[in-house]
Amino acid sequence: MNLAVIQMVSQDDVQTNLRLARRMLERAAQGGARLAVLPENFAAMGRRDLAAIGRAEAVGEGPILPWLKRAARDLSLWIVAGTLPLPPDDDAEGKPRACSLLIDDQGERAARYDKLHLFDVDVADNRGRYRESDDFSHGQRVVVADTPVGRLGLSVCYDLRFPELFGALREAGAELISVPAAFTAVTGAAHWQVLTRARAIETQCYVLAAGQGGEHPGLRLTFGHSAIIDPWGSVLAEQDQGEAALLASRDAAEQASIRQRMPVQQHRRFFLSGAPRPIVVE
């Protein structure tokens, strides 16, 4: 069981969230995981001081990054750290980004992905209006990285609705794709499972979808249903609500067989670099 997805119900207290995340990561490591994915906003939900949290972490004065590196070393585990509100690498005072870090089993940063698509959406729930761009700036890069369990593409939550990003990750060699998320209960019930399975099927990648699943400060409800999905679209493990450490194995030989039997990457006519583009006549 070399893959793990962690589901949480994070609150606004950082230390409490970190203690819970550590317990879940320990379960993952005990189950044999080499790579574990934490959910979006795993360290804090509902906080309004995100910029201050990010600046403190960036200058080495926050608790989250040292905790994360220590957990990776202690557990010999590669960790996708959900999201953290970190400023851009080149601008410590800039507006934070929803940053998903990949930490290797020595506690070193292996990759950083800044969320490309921000959730500026009206939803028919208790909150009604979500504007991530009030707190975050957009990322700029597609990111893939090598791990002991395969080549990993990174994404976050609302990115799921943009298949061109997932196509770019596959084109860059992704074999697995991490999706830390905090889908609302309303949008999750409508679309989460359809989207996660579709992204796995169309990219022929394992999708590691780590969600928040429960009630958070400010009457926010998240959908949960974290899952590990294989390249054929089969759900290998799933948790509806509450806390969990889900485990599954990557079968590299079967993944290669699926890609050989149905070589969709070679069949694509559009949207790859250097390929012809459709002509639209209006």
PDB file of all heavy atoms in Angstrom, residues 8 18 24 44 53 55 79 82 89-90 112-113 132 137 174 176 188 192 200 208 216 252-254 259 261 265 269:
ATOM      1  N   MET A   8      -9.376  15.205   6.413  1.00  0.00           N
ATOM      2  CA  MET A   8      -9.426  15.890   7.698  1.00  0.00           C
ATOM      3  C   MET A   8     -10.693  16.731   7.789  1.00  0.00           C
ATOM      4  O   MET A   8     -11.415  16.912   6.801  1.00  0.00           O
ATOM      5  CB  MET A   8      -8.182  16.785   7.878  1.00  0.00           C
ATOM      6  CG  MET A   8      -6.874  16.022   7.940  1.00  0.00           C
ATOM      7  SD  MET A   8      -5.402  17.096   8.026  1.00  0.00           S
ATOM      8  CE  MET A   8      -5.688  17.959   9.589  1.00  0.00           C
ATOM      9  N   LEU A  18      -2.372  20.293  13.280  1.00  0.00           N
ATOM     10  CA  LEU A  18      -1.104  19.602  13.060  1.00  0.00           C
ATOM     11  C   LEU A  18      -1.027  18.295  13.851  1.00  0.00           C
ATOM     12  O   LEU A  18      -0.489  17.294  13.358  1.00  0.00           O
ATOM     13  CB  LEU A  18       0.066  20.512  13.419  1.00  0.00           C
ATOM     14  CG  LEU A  18       0.237  21.772  12.563  1.00  0.00           C
ATOM     15  CD1 LEU A  18       1.497  22.528  12.970  1.00  0.00           C
ATOM     16  CD2 LEU A  18       0.266  21.442  11.076  1.00  0.00           C
ATOM     17  N   MET A  24      -2.734  11.029  11.387  1.00  0.00           N
ATOM     18  CA  MET A  24      -3.150  10.437  10.119  1.00  0.00           C
ATOM     19  C   MET A  24      -1.929  10.007   9.282  1.00  0.00           C
ATOM     20  O   MET A  24      -1.932   8.961   8.635  1.00  0.00           O
ATOM     21  CB  MET A  24      -3.994  11.429   9.329  1.00  0.00           C
ATOM     22  CG  MET A  24      -5.335  11.791   9.964  1.00  0.00           C
ATOM     23  SD  MET A  24      -6.475  10.377  10.120  1.00  0.00           S
ATOM     24  CE  MET A  24      -6.290  10.014  11.864  1.00  0.00           C
ATOM     25  N   ALA A  44      -5.118  25.072   8.668  1.00  0.00           N
ATOM     26  CA  ALA A  44      -6.033  26.099   9.188  1.00  0.00           C
ATOM     27  C   ALA A  44      -7.191  26.272   8.218  1.00  0.00           C
ATOM     28  O   ALA A  44      -6.980  26.351   7.011  1.00  0.00           O
ATOM     29  CB  ALA A  44      -5.319  27.426   9.388  1.00  0.00           C
ATOM     30  N   ILE A  53       0.122  34.527   8.330  1.00  0.00           N
ATOM     31  CA  ILE A  53       0.574  33.136   8.498  1.00  0.00           C
ATOM     32  C   ILE A  53       1.633  32.800   7.454  1.00  0.00           C
ATOM     33  O   ILE A  53       2.688  32.237   7.759  1.00  0.00           O
ATOM     34  CB  ILE A  53      -0.615  32.161   8.387  1.00  0.00           C
ATOM     35  CG1 ILE A  53      -1.543  32.305   9.603  1.00  0.00           C
ATOM     36  CG2 ILE A  53      -0.129  30.716   8.263  1.00  0.00           C
ATOM     37  CD1 ILE A  53      -2.814  31.491   9.496  1.00  0.00           C
ATOM     38  N   ARG A  55       3.608  34.844   5.676  1.00  0.00           N
ATOM     39  CA  ARG A  55       4.870  35.581   5.862  1.00  0.00           C
ATOM     40  C   ARG A  55       5.701  34.969   6.980  1.00  0.00           C
ATOM     41  O   ARG A  55       6.924  34.858   6.870  1.00  0.00           O
ATOM     42  CB  ARG A  55       4.573  37.049   6.138  1.00  0.00           C
ATOM     43  CG  ARG A  55       4.171  37.844   4.897  1.00  0.00           C
ATOM     44  CD  ARG A  55       4.222  39.327   5.155  1.00  0.00           C
ATOM     45  NE  ARG A  55       3.236  39.741   6.148  1.00  0.00           N
ATOM     46  CZ  ARG A  55       1.990  40.127   5.846  1.00  0.00           C
ATOM     47  NH1 ARG A  55       1.589  40.133   4.591  1.00  0.00           N
ATOM     48  NH2 ARG A  55       1.156  40.496   6.789  1.00  0.00           N
ATOM     49  N   ILE A  79       5.480  13.774   1.343  1.00  0.00           N
ATOM     50  CA  ILE A  79       4.198  14.388   1.720  1.00  0.00           C
ATOM     51  C   ILE A  79       3.845  15.514   0.758  1.00  0.00           C
ATOM     52  O   ILE A  79       4.667  16.407   0.515  1.00  0.00           O
ATOM     53  CB  ILE A  79       4.264  14.948   3.160  1.00  0.00           C
ATOM     54  CG1 ILE A  79       4.596  13.840   4.160  1.00  0.00           C
ATOM     55  CG2 ILE A  79       2.938  15.617   3.530  1.00  0.00           C
ATOM     56  CD1 ILE A  79       4.851  14.337   5.577  1.00  0.00           C
ATOM     57  N   GLY A  82      -0.979  19.478   1.150  1.00  0.00           N
ATOM     58  CA  GLY A  82      -2.239  20.163   0.902  1.00  0.00           C
ATOM     59  C   GLY A  82      -2.022  21.524   0.301  1.00  0.00           C
ATOM     60  O   GLY A  82      -1.443  21.648  -0.782  1.00  0.00           O
ATOM     61  N   ASP A  89       7.852  32.807  -4.207  1.00  0.00           N
ATOM     62  CA  ASP A  89       9.263  32.612  -3.881  1.00  0.00           C
ATOM     63  C   ASP A  89      10.088  33.877  -4.092  1.00  0.00           C
ATOM     64  O   ASP A  89      11.067  34.120  -3.382  1.00  0.00           O
ATOM     65  CB  ASP A  89       9.848  31.478  -4.732  1.00  0.00           C
ATOM     66  CG  ASP A  89       9.588  30.111  -4.115  1.00  0.00           C
ATOM     67  OD1 ASP A  89       9.352  30.042  -2.896  1.00  0.00           O
ATOM     68  OD2 ASP A  89       9.620  29.118  -4.858  1.00  0.00           O
ATOM     69  N   ASP A  90       9.697  34.690  -5.079  1.00  0.00           N
ATOM     70  CA  ASP A  90      10.491  35.857  -5.426  1.00  0.00           C
ATOM     71  C   ASP A  90       9.968  37.149  -4.814  1.00  0.00           C
ATOM     72  O   ASP A  90      10.418  38.232  -5.169  1.00  0.00           O
ATOM     73  CB  ASP A  90      10.572  36.006  -6.956  1.00  0.00           C
ATOM     74  CG  ASP A  90       9.191  36.118  -7.590  1.00  0.00           C
ATOM     75  OD1 ASP A  90       8.187  35.990  -6.865  1.00  0.00           O
ATOM     76  OD2 ASP A  90       9.126  36.330  -8.823  1.00  0.00           O
ATOM     77  N   ARG A 112       7.159  22.807  -5.675  1.00  0.00           N
ATOM     78  CA  ARG A 112       6.147  23.752  -5.201  1.00  0.00           C
ATOM     79  C   ARG A 112       5.192  24.052  -6.348  1.00  0.00           C
ATOM     80  O   ARG A 112       5.609  24.409  -7.447  1.00  0.00           O
ATOM     81  CB  ARG A 112       6.802  25.051  -4.710  1.00  0.00           C
ATOM     82  CG  ARG A 112       5.783  26.172  -4.479  1.00  0.00           C
ATOM     83  CD  ARG A 112       6.415  27.442  -3.963  1.00  0.00           C
ATOM     84  NE  ARG A 112       5.427  28.522  -3.951  1.00  0.00           N
ATOM     85  CZ  ARG A 112       5.453  29.580  -3.135  1.00  0.00           C
ATOM     86  NH1 ARG A 112       6.446  29.703  -2.268  1.00  0.00           N
ATOM     87  NH2 ARG A 112       4.515  30.500  -3.190  1.00  0.00           N
ATOM     88  N   TYR A 113       3.903  23.892  -6.069  1.00  0.00           N
ATOM     89  CA  TYR A 113       2.873  24.261  -7.039  1.00  0.00           C
ATOM     90  C   TYR A 113       1.966  25.315  -6.420  1.00  0.00           C
ATOM     91  O   TYR A 113       1.425  25.113  -5.328  1.00  0.00           O
ATOM     92  CB  TYR A 113       2.040  23.041  -7.443  1.00  0.00           C
ATOM     93  CG  TYR A 113       0.784  23.418  -8.206  1.00  0.00           C
ATOM     94  CD1 TYR A 113       0.865  23.929  -9.500  1.00  0.00           C
ATOM     95  CD2 TYR A 113      -0.469  23.303  -7.618  1.00  0.00           C
ATOM     96  CE1 TYR A 113      -0.276  24.305 -10.196  1.00  0.00           C
ATOM     97  CE2 TYR A 113      -1.613  23.666  -8.312  1.00  0.00           C
ATOM     98  CZ  TYR A 113      -1.516  24.173  -9.599  1.00  0.00           C
ATOM     99  OH  TYR A 113      -2.649  24.562 -10.272  1.00  0.00           O
ATOM    100  N   GLU A 132     -11.724  33.493  -3.519  1.00  0.00           N
ATOM    101  CA  GLU A 132     -10.337  33.195  -3.143  1.00  0.00           C
ATOM    102  C   GLU A 132      -9.384  34.294  -3.586  1.00  0.00           C
ATOM    103  O   GLU A 132      -8.348  34.506  -2.946  1.00  0.00           O
ATOM    104  CB  GLU A 132      -9.898  31.867  -3.756  1.00  0.00           C
ATOM    105  CG  GLU A 132     -10.329  30.661  -2.958  1.00  0.00           C
ATOM    106  CD  GLU A 132      -9.664  29.387  -3.433  1.00  0.00           C
ATOM    107  OE1 GLU A 132      -9.393  29.255  -4.638  1.00  0.00           O
ATOM    108  OE2 GLU A 132      -9.433  28.508  -2.587  1.00  0.00           O
ATOM    109  N   SER A 137      -3.206  35.234  -4.776  1.00  0.00           N
ATOM    110  CA  SER A 137      -2.920  35.522  -6.179  1.00  0.00           C
ATOM    111  C   SER A 137      -2.772  34.207  -6.933  1.00  0.00           C
ATOM    112  O   SER A 137      -2.522  33.149  -6.348  1.00  0.00           O
ATOM    113  CB  SER A 137      -1.649  36.361  -6.318  1.00  0.00           C
ATOM    114  OG  SER A 137      -0.530  35.674  -5.796  1.00  0.00           O
ATOM    115  N   ALA A 174       3.231  12.886 -16.130  1.00  0.00           N
ATOM    116  CA  ALA A 174       2.605  12.502 -14.865  1.00  0.00           C
ATOM    117  C   ALA A 174       2.049  11.087 -14.931  1.00  0.00           C
ATOM    118  O   ALA A 174       1.438  10.684 -15.933  1.00  0.00           O
ATOM    119  CB  ALA A 174       1.496  13.478 -14.497  1.00  0.00           C
ATOM    120  N   LEU A 176       0.848   9.984 -11.621  1.00  0.00           N
ATOM    121  CA  LEU A 176      -0.078  10.216 -10.515  1.00  0.00           C
ATOM    122  C   LEU A 176      -0.356  11.718 -10.469  1.00  0.00           C
ATOM    123  O   LEU A 176       0.499  12.522 -10.847  1.00  0.00           O
ATOM    124  CB  LEU A 176       0.501   9.779  -9.167  1.00  0.00           C
ATOM    125  CG  LEU A 176       1.182   8.421  -9.058  1.00  0.00           C
ATOM    126  CD1 LEU A 176       2.696   8.580  -9.123  1.00  0.00           C
ATOM    127  CD2 LEU A 176       0.792   7.718  -7.763  1.00  0.00           C
ATOM    128  N   GLY A 188     -19.625  19.662  -4.175  1.00  0.00           N
ATOM    129  CA  GLY A 188     -19.082  18.314  -4.091  1.00  0.00           C
ATOM    130  C   GLY A 188     -20.123  17.262  -4.408  1.00  0.00           C
ATOM    131  O   GLY A 188     -19.865  16.312  -5.162  1.00  0.00           O
ATOM    132  N   TRP A 192     -17.967  16.374  -7.521  1.00  0.00           N
ATOM    133  CA  TRP A 192     -16.656  15.891  -7.075  1.00  0.00           C
ATOM    134  C   TRP A 192     -16.308  14.524  -7.638  1.00  0.00           C
ATOM    135  O   TRP A 192     -15.249  14.322  -8.240  1.00  0.00           O
ATOM    136  CB  TRP A 192     -16.618  15.867  -5.551  1.00  0.00           C
ATOM    137  CG  TRP A 192     -15.476  15.141  -4.916  1.00  0.00           C
ATOM    138  CD1 TRP A 192     -15.489  13.901  -4.352  1.00  0.00           C
ATOM    139  CD2 TRP A 192     -14.129  15.616  -4.755  1.00  0.00           C
ATOM    140  NE1 TRP A 192     -14.259  13.575  -3.839  1.00  0.00           N
ATOM    141  CE2 TRP A 192     -13.397  14.618  -4.069  1.00  0.00           C
ATOM    142  CE3 TRP A 192     -13.469  16.795  -5.098  1.00  0.00           C
ATOM    143  CZ2 TRP A 192     -12.055  14.743  -3.750  1.00  0.00           C
ATOM    144  CZ3 TRP A 192     -12.118  16.919  -4.767  1.00  0.00           C
ATOM    145  CH2 TRP A 192     -11.425  15.916  -4.106  1.00  0.00           C
ATOM    146  N   ALA A 200      -8.957  11.055 -13.868  1.00  0.00           N
ATOM    147  CA  ALA A 200      -8.155   9.828 -13.871  1.00  0.00           C
ATOM    148  C   ALA A 200      -8.278   9.104 -15.205  1.00  0.00           C
ATOM    149  O   ALA A 200      -7.276   8.657 -15.785  1.00  0.00           O
ATOM    150  CB  ALA A 200      -8.600   8.911 -12.723  1.00  0.00           C
ATOM    151  N   LEU A 208      -5.053  11.167  -6.629  1.00  0.00           N
ATOM    152  CA  LEU A 208      -4.997  11.115  -5.169  1.00  0.00           C
ATOM    153  C   LEU A 208      -5.744  12.335  -4.646  1.00  0.00           C
ATOM    154  O   LEU A 208      -5.193  13.425  -4.519  1.00  0.00           O
ATOM    155  CB  LEU A 208      -3.543  11.112  -4.698  1.00  0.00           C
ATOM    156  CG  LEU A 208      -2.628  10.098  -5.408  1.00  0.00           C
ATOM    157  CD1 LEU A 208      -1.201  10.222  -4.896  1.00  0.00           C
ATOM    158  CD2 LEU A 208      -3.145   8.686  -5.252  1.00  0.00           C
ATOM    159  N   HIS A 216     -16.753  23.249   9.467  1.00  0.00           N
ATOM    160  CA  HIS A 216     -15.625  24.111   9.801  1.00  0.00           C
ATOM    161  C   HIS A 216     -16.126  25.449  10.323  1.00  0.00           C
ATOM    162  O   HIS A 216     -17.326  25.740  10.255  1.00  0.00           O
ATOM    163  CB  HIS A 216     -14.754  24.323   8.550  1.00  0.00           C
ATOM    164  CG  HIS A 216     -14.439  23.065   7.813  1.00  0.00           C
ATOM    165  ND1 HIS A 216     -13.374  22.253   8.142  1.00  0.00           N
ATOM    166  CD2 HIS A 216     -15.063  22.455   6.772  1.00  0.00           C
ATOM    167  CE1 HIS A 216     -13.351  21.210   7.332  1.00  0.00           C
ATOM    168  NE2 HIS A 216     -14.367  21.307   6.494  1.00  0.00           N
ATOM    169  N   ALA A 252       2.158  -0.282 -11.419  1.00  0.00           N
ATOM    170  CA  ALA A 252       2.794   0.360 -12.568  1.00  0.00           C
ATOM    171  C   ALA A 252       2.637  -0.464 -13.837  1.00  0.00           C
ATOM    172  O   ALA A 252       2.457   0.089 -14.926  1.00  0.00           O
ATOM    173  CB  ALA A 252       4.268   0.605 -12.267  1.00  0.00           C
ATOM    174  N   ALA A 253       2.692  -1.780 -13.701  1.00  0.00           N
ATOM    175  CA  ALA A 253       2.565  -2.638 -14.882  1.00  0.00           C
ATOM    176  C   ALA A 253       1.167  -2.529 -15.478  1.00  0.00           C
ATOM    177  O   ALA A 253       1.005  -2.455 -16.711  1.00  0.00           O
ATOM    178  CB  ALA A 253       2.883  -4.083 -14.516  1.00  0.00           C
ATOM    179  N   GLU A 254       0.140  -2.534 -14.643  1.00  0.00           N
ATOM    180  CA  GLU A 254      -1.219  -2.412 -15.147  1.00  0.00           C
ATOM    181  C   GLU A 254      -1.457  -1.027 -15.759  1.00  0.00           C
ATOM    182  O   GLU A 254      -2.132  -0.901 -16.786  1.00  0.00           O
ATOM    183  CB  GLU A 254      -2.223  -2.667 -14.016  1.00  0.00           C
ATOM    184  CG  GLU A 254      -3.678  -2.475 -14.404  1.00  0.00           C
ATOM    185  CD  GLU A 254      -4.145  -3.399 -15.526  1.00  0.00           C
ATOM    186  OE1 GLU A 254      -3.462  -4.408 -15.813  1.00  0.00           O
ATOM    187  OE2 GLU A 254      -5.203  -3.121 -16.122  1.00  0.00           O
ATOM    188  N   ARG A 259      -2.312   2.137 -20.775  1.00  0.00           N
ATOM    189  CA  ARG A 259      -1.859   3.165 -21.714  1.00  0.00           C
ATOM    190  C   ARG A 259      -1.466   2.557 -23.073  1.00  0.00           C
ATOM    191  O   ARG A 259      -1.618   3.213 -24.102  1.00  0.00           O
ATOM    192  CB  ARG A 259      -0.682   3.929 -21.105  1.00  0.00           C
ATOM    193  CG  ARG A 259      -1.083   4.805 -19.926  1.00  0.00           C
ATOM    194  CD  ARG A 259       0.096   5.578 -19.365  1.00  0.00           C
ATOM    195  NE  ARG A 259      -0.351   6.574 -18.381  1.00  0.00           N
ATOM    196  CZ  ARG A 259       0.432   7.512 -17.881  1.00  0.00           C
ATOM    197  NH1 ARG A 259       1.706   7.596 -18.252  1.00  0.00           N
ATOM    198  NH2 ARG A 259      -0.051   8.379 -16.995  1.00  0.00           N
ATOM    199  N   ARG A 261      -2.839  -0.353 -24.334  1.00  0.00           N
ATOM    200  CA  ARG A 261      -4.047  -0.857 -24.986  1.00  0.00           C
ATOM    201  C   ARG A 261      -4.916   0.269 -25.535  1.00  0.00           C
ATOM    202  O   ARG A 261      -5.598   0.100 -26.548  1.00  0.00           O
ATOM    203  CB  ARG A 261      -4.868  -1.705 -23.996  1.00  0.00           C
ATOM    204  CG  ARG A 261      -4.157  -2.933 -23.473  1.00  0.00           C
ATOM    205  CD  ARG A 261      -5.123  -3.891 -22.779  1.00  0.00           C
ATOM    206  NE  ARG A 261      -5.972  -3.252 -21.788  1.00  0.00           N
ATOM    207  CZ  ARG A 261      -5.705  -3.191 -20.489  1.00  0.00           C
ATOM    208  NH1 ARG A 261      -4.561  -3.701 -20.024  1.00  0.00           N
ATOM    209  NH2 ARG A 261      -6.545  -2.628 -19.656  1.00  0.00           N
ATOM    210  N   GLN A 265      -3.019   9.301 -25.467  1.00  0.00           N
ATOM    211  CA  GLN A 265      -2.074  10.406 -25.592  1.00  0.00           C
ATOM    212  C   GLN A 265      -1.568  10.541 -27.032  1.00  0.00           C
ATOM    213  O   GLN A 265      -1.397  11.658 -27.534  1.00  0.00           O
ATOM    214  CB  GLN A 265      -0.900  10.205 -24.632  1.00  0.00           C
ATOM    215  CG  GLN A 265      -0.007  11.421 -24.441  1.00  0.00           C
ATOM    216  CD  GLN A 265      -0.693  12.524 -23.634  1.00  0.00           C
ATOM    217  OE1 GLN A 265      -1.812  12.360 -23.146  1.00  0.00           O
ATOM    218  NE2 GLN A 265      -0.023  13.656 -23.506  1.00  0.00           N
ATOM    219  N   ARG A 269      -5.599  14.961 -31.195  1.00  0.00           N
ATOM    220  CA  ARG A 269      -5.436  15.772 -32.388  1.00  0.00           C
ATOM    221  C   ARG A 269      -5.143  17.233 -32.062  1.00  0.00           C
ATOM    222  O   ARG A 269      -4.569  17.952 -32.881  1.00  0.00           O
ATOM    223  CB  ARG A 269      -6.713  15.709 -33.233  1.00  0.00           C
ATOM    224  CG  ARG A 269      -7.048  14.317 -33.753  1.00  0.00           C
ATOM    225  CD  ARG A 269      -6.069  13.858 -34.822  1.00  0.00           C
ATOM    226  NE  ARG A 269      -5.993  14.834 -35.914  1.00  0.00           N
ATOM    227  CZ  ARG A 269      -6.895  14.945 -36.881  1.00  0.00           C
ATOM    228  NH1 ARG A 269      -7.940  14.134 -36.915  1.00  0.00           N
ATOM    229  NH2 ARG A 269      -6.741  15.853 -37.831  1.00  0.00           N
TER     230      ARG A 269
END
